[in-house]
Every structure is written in structure tokens, then in C-alpha cells.
Amino acid sequence: MTPRTVIVTGSSRGLGLALTRTLLDAGYNVATCSRSLGDALPALLDAHPDRLLWQRAEIGEPVSTQSFIDATVQRFGAPWGLINNAGIAREGILATLPLVEVDSLIQTNLTGAIQVARAVLRHMLSRPGGGRIINISSIIGQRGYTGLTAYAATKAGLDGLTRALAREVGRRQITVNSVAPGYLDTEMSGTLSAGQRDQIVRRTPMGRLGTADDVAPAILFLLGDGARYITGQTLTIDGGISC
Ligand SMILES: NC(=O)c1ccc[n+]([C@@H]2O[C@H](COP(=O)([O-])OP(=O)(O)OC[C@H]3O[C@@H](n4cnc5c(N)ncnc54)[C@H](OP(=O)(O)O)[C@@H]3O)[C@@H](O)[C@H]2O)c1
């Protein structure tokens, strides 16, 4: 059977990289993009030349995004799944956060995700059999966090996108869900101070920050046939900090 293809945006490190590995191990074709190649992708590209595609692309920039989707479809055909993972975080209280930072957060995290979903759906809808869209949001979008107001707004926006799009494409057997991680030990959380990390660990029932590998298996499940009737949901994976 021809492997299914899943698009993962933002794969040079962190969760996107862990997902790329997990999906390759599970037998999927993976089409990925990021602005830089990062340290780990070259070895993966060497190991899986037939099943892994990477293209430099800037999510939030429509021409670059479209060129990545076109390259994916040309190589693998219409994709089965999309994981909208690429994201940035900018810390700072809203009153003083430069507007250019606010715009860039919205452009990458929200507008970019909508652009990718729109471009991918045109192909998913063109063939029968359904599909999967998974948006990586965050518990910050549900609970808030001082200094991450604009980031929180983009992530809450993704959860709204998930619910509305699930209604729009459900009859075509395409499911749309969000996965909302808690604090993950990736480069993105590198700006947390030692005090903030200690506080997060103290408040987390599981007693530690999460890792990308704590989240990837749940995404693998949502991509599979066993998750065919789950749509419009936000799955929180946070070691219990928001329970
Ligand atoms: N870390 C956390 O605590 C946490 C918690 C909840 C949710 N999340 C979400 O999980 C997702 C992954 O985060 P992470 O922790 O893995 O962050 P990360 O380590 O900073 O990785 C982010 C990835 O996105 C890519 N990226 C960023 N902007 C991009 C753009 N405009 N176009 C293309 N690629 C772009 C980066 O690659 P380049 O820089 O090479 O482009 C990188 O590969 C994000 O959506 C984030 O908001 C993270």
C-alpha cells in the first residue's frame, strides 16, 4: 500500500522535528518546511530519501507557503494529513511589545496556519477518503500567561479555527483537531527564567516540563484510522498543570 503523506510545518527542531521522526518511523511520507534546515534534518533526509521532503519556506508568507505545498503535491500527491506546527513566541507585556512583534506573531502563528490549511484543503478535498488537520495550539491560549498575551491570542485563534473548520469539512471525512501542549522543554521555552521553570514544575502534577516526545504519540493517534470520529476537539497534553 502507498504510504500516506503528512505535512509538518516547522521541522528544524523541537516538536516538529520529533514529529517528523515519529511519522517516518510509523511509515508515513513526510513533507516538512522551516526557514532553516537545522542540525538534525540532514541525517534524516539521507536516511529517508524517498519518504522525506524538506523545503525552505516561511510560513506566513503566501508565495513561499504555496511553493512548498506545490512541491509536496508534485512529489507525493494529495496529502492525507497536515500538522500546523510552525510557531514563534515573543515575550513582553502587551503595553510595550512592539507592534511589529505583534504582527509577526499573528502572521506566523495564525494567518500562516490558515494559509497552509486553505492550500492543503484544496488538494485533500479533490480526492475521496478524508484526511486529518491538526493545529498545534497551547494551554496559554486557554489559560493565559503574563507576558504572552499576543501569543495567547494566536493560539486561542487556532482553537477557533479548529472548531469552525471541523464543521466545514466533516462531511468529507476530514477531521480537524487542536493539540494544546503545556510547557515543553524546547528552544521556545528557553526564555523562561529558572524561577519560572521551578514554578511550572511545582504546579505540574507530573512534576516536570513536557518533552516533544510526550506529545508526538498523541498526534500519531489523531492521524490514524482509530481517530476517525474525533473532530473539533482540543486535546490538552500538559502533565496536568491546567487540570
Ligand atoms: N515549547 C513550548 O513550551 C510549547 C508549548 C505549547 C505549544 N507550543 C507550540 O508548539 C509548536 C512547536 O514549538 P517548539 O517548542 O517546537 O518551538 P521551537 O523549538 O522554537 O521550534 C519551532 C519550529 O518552527 C519553525 N518556524 C518558526 N517560524 C517559522 C516560519 N515562519 N516558517 C517556517 N517555520 C517556522 C522553526 O524553524 P526555523 O526557525 O528554522 O524556521 C522551528 O523548526 C509551536 O506552534 C508552539 O507555539 C510550544
Side-chain angles (χ1 to χ4, degrees):
M1 205 173 85
T2 316
R4 285 170 166 168
T5 300
V6 178
I7 294 175
V8 179
T9 64
S11 58
S12 61
R13 57 178 186 272
L15 180 56
L17 178 62
L19 277 169
T20 299
R21 282 203 181 99
T22 300
L23 297 183
L24 286 169
D25 288 349
Y28 287 97
N29 294 328
V30 184
T32 67
C33 70
S34 37
R35 293 165 303 176
S36 63
L37 187 53
D39 297 335
L41 276 176
L44 280 181
L45 285 162
D46 282 348
H48 303 281
D50 299 335
R51 290 197 295 121
L52 176 59
L53 174 151
W54 175 83
Q55 182 165 308
R56 190 181 306 279
E58 168 117 27
I59 298 301
E61 205 287 296
V63 175
S64 174
T65 298
Q66 191 61 53
S67 151
F68 165 59
I69 303 301
D70 290 347
T72 300
V73 173
Q74 196 172 15
R75 172 90 174 266
F76 295 126
W80 161 255
L82 161 66
I83 303 170
N84 262 322
N85 166 78
I88 53 171
R90 295 282 180 271
E91 229 187 316
I93 56 166
L94 189 61
T96 56
L97 189 67
L99 270 182
V100 64
E101 300 279 13
V102 174
D103 288 345
S104 139
L105 278 163
I106 294 171
Q107 193 65 23
T108 304
N109 294 3
L110 188 53
T111 310
I114 293 172
Q115 284 170 356
V116 180
R118 181 177 179 276
V120 168
L121 267 170
R122 289 168 168 232
H123 296 285
M124 265 188 196
L125 288 167
S126 73
R127 60 132 175 75
R132 301 281 185 270
I133 296 178
I134 297 167
N135 297 310
I136 307 299
S137 60
S138 168
I139 58 165
I140 307 288
Q142 305 162 358
R143 318 288 287 198
Y145 194 86
T146 299
L148 287 175
T149 296
Y151 175 81
T154 66
K155 294 302 184 179
L158 280 181
D159 287 343
L161 163 70
T162 290
R163 289 188 289 271
L165 191 55
R167 291 181 183 276
E168 222 171 275
V169 296
R171 283 181 196 278
R172 300 298 296 271
Q173 308 308 310
I174 297 171
T175 69
V176 188
N177 292 287
S178 289
V179 167
Y183 304 89
L184 301 179
D185 209 353
T186 64
E187 196 169 308
M188 185 174 279
S189 55
T191 55
L192 289 171
S193 68
Q196 284 172 313
R197 285 177 85 91
D198 286 350
Q199 189 184 52
I200 290 164
V201 168
R202 269 199 317 277
R203 290 182 179 173
T204 302
M206 302 297 291
R208 60 174 176 85
L209 264 68
T211 66
D213 289 323
D214 290 327
V215 177
I219 294 173
L220 188 60
F221 167 70
L222 287 174
L223 282 170
D225 290 329
R228 62 185 169 269
Y229 202 55
I230 301 173
T231 196
Q233 304 303 308
T234 297
L235 175 61
T236 300
I237 304 175
D238 67 350
I241 195 171
S242 62
C243 72

